[in-house]
Amino acid sequence: MKIRDKMTYLDNGATSFPKPAGVIEAFVDFAKNIGASPGRGAYEPAQIAEDKIDRTRQLITKLIGANDPNRVVFTSNASEALNLAIFGLLEQGDKVVTTRMEHNAVIRPLLELDRRGVIDILWTEVRDNGRLDIEQFYELLETPGVALAVTTGIANSTGVIVPFWQIGEFCHKRGITYLVDGAQLCGVYPVNVLEDNIDLLAFTGHKGLYGLPGTGGLYIGKGMEKKLRPLIYGGTGGHSDLPSMPDELPEKYEPGTPNTPGIVALGEGVSWVLEKTVEKIHQHKQKLLSMMLDILRDVDGIQLFGPKDDIDRTAIVPIIIPGIEPKIVADILWEEYKIAVRAGCHCAPQIHFDIGAPQGTVRFSFGAFNTVEDVEYAAEAVIEIVKNYAK
Ligand SMILES: Cc1ncc(COP(=O)(O)O)c(C=O)c1O
């Protein structure tokens, strides 16, 4: 096969690349020409900074179907947003229902509260095709004392879409707070926090929203701010005389100087996604997913993980070449083909036991900029590796 000179980037599950040109331009323009800290000065650039941050808030509000931009608070990534939700909400004796397909950004804060003796965690299993055992999840939600349900929107290891809209309805009827880890969901698959009954939605800026690393946030549903303690305490620009964090949103959860250039650039990423539409981006990636699955499904010497078809999953293709460690396959893909993928357990250790890949997988994850040619090239490379290396 003809080897490409340039990198073929298939690690969009880790971070999307490349970024839309407007994202980079907005970042540079802010850093070069504006520079001021928002809400902390009466001069024009400080006001411009504030307005630009508000614009990003409004665009995210639109993307997630919320109705109040002040309910979108910025953090440095999804991990911080999830920590804010989990540590801010849970009280002594609470029970939490979650799943074994979560990322460590959910698992570790929960386990920390478990270790401290604060909460009990009820884990829902993943079936071997990567889908959640939804019946077990609902059963666990009926346990007395459940205060919080936490699920990912889309599993980063398999691309499986969790039926968050059904879980939201179930939780809403029982008065259970529902937190969704939207790191792989926002910008990738349609979500509407109000219709889907999501109380808290964590997002990250650098994946499906096509912003830069160091940006993310938490959508805080109506009434949640009464229960949710801040994670970080400090200055908020205004209300300097108050000895505690102000009650107003978003200030209550946004102490310190924000990553203004990053948030401004994120606005361009979200605007780009809204213009293309989440549905069209999803459709394009579904085409790539179907193609990759169709080519690899019948190849001897390759094991595919996740659902067999392209239904209820997004453009993530985890594979194993039996006999070659996933990390070695990823190395060969890079060294010989300049294909960038990720190998291992993808910060989601439990699901890999449930799907029968305890040593992890090689994960191909497609983004909006990938093409049919990228899929053909990657599939051809995998088939060649099987031929050349597998015993
Ligand atoms: C499902 C899921 N949750 C949370 C995260 C953490 O996101 P961030 O690194 O932006 O904090 C990731 C990142 O890979 C993820 O895939």
Side-chain angles (χ1 to χ4, degrees):
M1 65 182 280
K2 187 169 171 347
I3 306 298
R4 288 177 165 185
D5 295 332
K6 284 199 185 136
M7 169 172 76
T8 302
Y9 185 79
L10 300 178
D11 196 18
N12 291 277
T15 198
S16 56
F17 183 80
K19 306 295 181 186
V23 169
I24 313 296
E25 280 157 20
F27 185 87
V28 173
D29 175 63
F30 187 88
K32 215 167 154 183
N33 301 318
I34 303 168
S37 200
R40 284 156 169 84
Y43 49 94
E44 199 183 359
Q47 194 50 53
I48 294 174
E50 182 79 28
D51 292 348
K52 283 183 177 285
I53 286 191
D54 279 348
R55 175 177 177 263
T56 304
R57 246 188 257 286
Q58 282 165 19
L59 288 164
I60 292 172
T61 303
K62 187 169 174 198
L63 184 99
I64 64 172
N67 59 6
D68 178 0
N70 289 333
R71 298 198 162 276
V72 173
V73 305
F74 290 114
T75 60
S76 53
N77 48 38
S79 302
E80 188 188 323
L82 288 161
N83 273 263
L84 164 58
I86 290 168
F87 284 103
L89 207 61
L90 290 169
E91 307 268 3
Q92 186 69 42
D94 282 345
K95 291 193 175 76
V96 179
V97 175
T98 190
T99 85
R100 284 174 56 85
M101 65 168 74
E102 300 310 312
H103 187 279
N104 274 335
V106 167
I107 297 174
R108 287 178 175 168
L110 287 180
L111 283 179
E112 178 58 27
L113 284 179
D114 187 12
R115 264 193 297 271
R116 291 182 195 172
V118 177
I119 61 165
D120 279 328
I121 312 170
L122 308 173
W123 298 97
T124 313
E125 272 149 45
V126 176
R127 301 205 202 104
D128 60 3
N129 62 5
R131 292 213 167 96
L132 186 65
D133 185 341
I134 195 79
E135 296 309 321
Q136 188 196 13
F137 192 83
Y138 290 150
E139 261 170 46
L140 292 176
L141 282 177
E142 303 280 11
T143 313
V146 172
L148 179 71
V150 193
T151 74
T152 190
I154 293 175
N156 70 325
S157 40
T158 56
V160 161
I161 301 165
V162 172
F164 52 85
W165 54 96
Q166 289 170 12
I167 295 174
E169 195 183 349
F170 195 96
C171 288
H172 186 68
K173 283 188 185 146
R174 285 156 184 82
I176 297 169
T177 300
Y178 185 31
L179 163 64
V180 173
D181 171 0
Q184 298 287 342
L185 169 69
C186 295
V188 172
Y189 192 74
V191 57
N192 183 305
V193 286
L194 297 180
E195 285 172 12
D196 300 337
N197 293 298
I198 295 171
D199 298 303
L200 296 158
L201 174 68
F203 61 89
T204 200
H206 64 104
K207 298 184 197 267
L209 300 181
Y210 292 88
L212 297 167
T215 55
L218 184 68
Y219 160 75
I220 297 174
K222 202 159 173 235
M224 284 292 123
E225 70 279 10
K226 296 200 178 78
K227 311 182 201 168
L228 189 70
R229 296 173 294 271
L231 181 69
I232 304 172
Y233 292 74
T236 47
H239 302 289
S240 298
D241 53 320
L242 282 182
S244 55
M245 295 298 282
D247 270 334
E248 279 92 1
L249 289 170
E251 288 86 354
K252 183 171 181 181
Y253 305 103
E254 288 186 346
T257 306
N259 173 5
T260 313
I263 295 171
V264 172
L266 174 59
E268 289 308 308
V270 177
S271 158
W272 184 85
V273 170
L274 284 168
E275 203 177 296
K276 296 258 166 221
T277 78
V278 174
E279 288 79 3
K280 289 242 167 66
I281 295 172
H282 177 61
Q283 274 166 22
H284 168 68
K285 287 164 59 186
Q286 285 306 99
K287 191 169 86 182
L288 306 182
L289 169 68
S290 300
M291 237 185 109
M292 186 79 165
L293 292 176
D294 286 347
I295 302 174
L296 296 185
R297 192 175 284 123
D298 298 322
V299 178
D300 279 343
I302 296 174
Q303 212 180 332
L304 289 170
F305 291 88
K308 295 279 168 279
D309 45 39
D310 60 1
I311 296 164
D312 297 337
R313 70 184 283 191
T314 54
I316 288 177
V317 181
I319 71 158
I320 281 182
I321 301 179
I324 319 179
E325 256 182 67
K327 284 191 170 47
I328 306 280
V329 175
D331 284 350
I332 300 170
L333 282 166
W334 178 249
E335 295 299 331
E336 297 190 16
Y337 304 93
K338 285 222 178 90
I339 296 174
V341 295
R342 189 170 165 193
C345 284
H346 317 293
C347 301
Q350 298 162 332
I351 184 174
H352 289 91
F353 286 97
D354 295 8
I355 62 173
Q359 75 284 42
T361 63
V362 182
R363 183 184 72 177
F364 295 82
S365 49
F366 299 98
F369 290 99
N370 285 124
T371 61
V372 161
E373 290 73 29
D374 293 340
V375 174
E376 285 167 350
Y377 182 68
E380 219 183 318
V382 171
I383 292 167
E384 202 169 83
I385 293 173
V386 172
K387 227 188 298 158
N388 293 347
Y389 291 89
K391 287 171 202 96

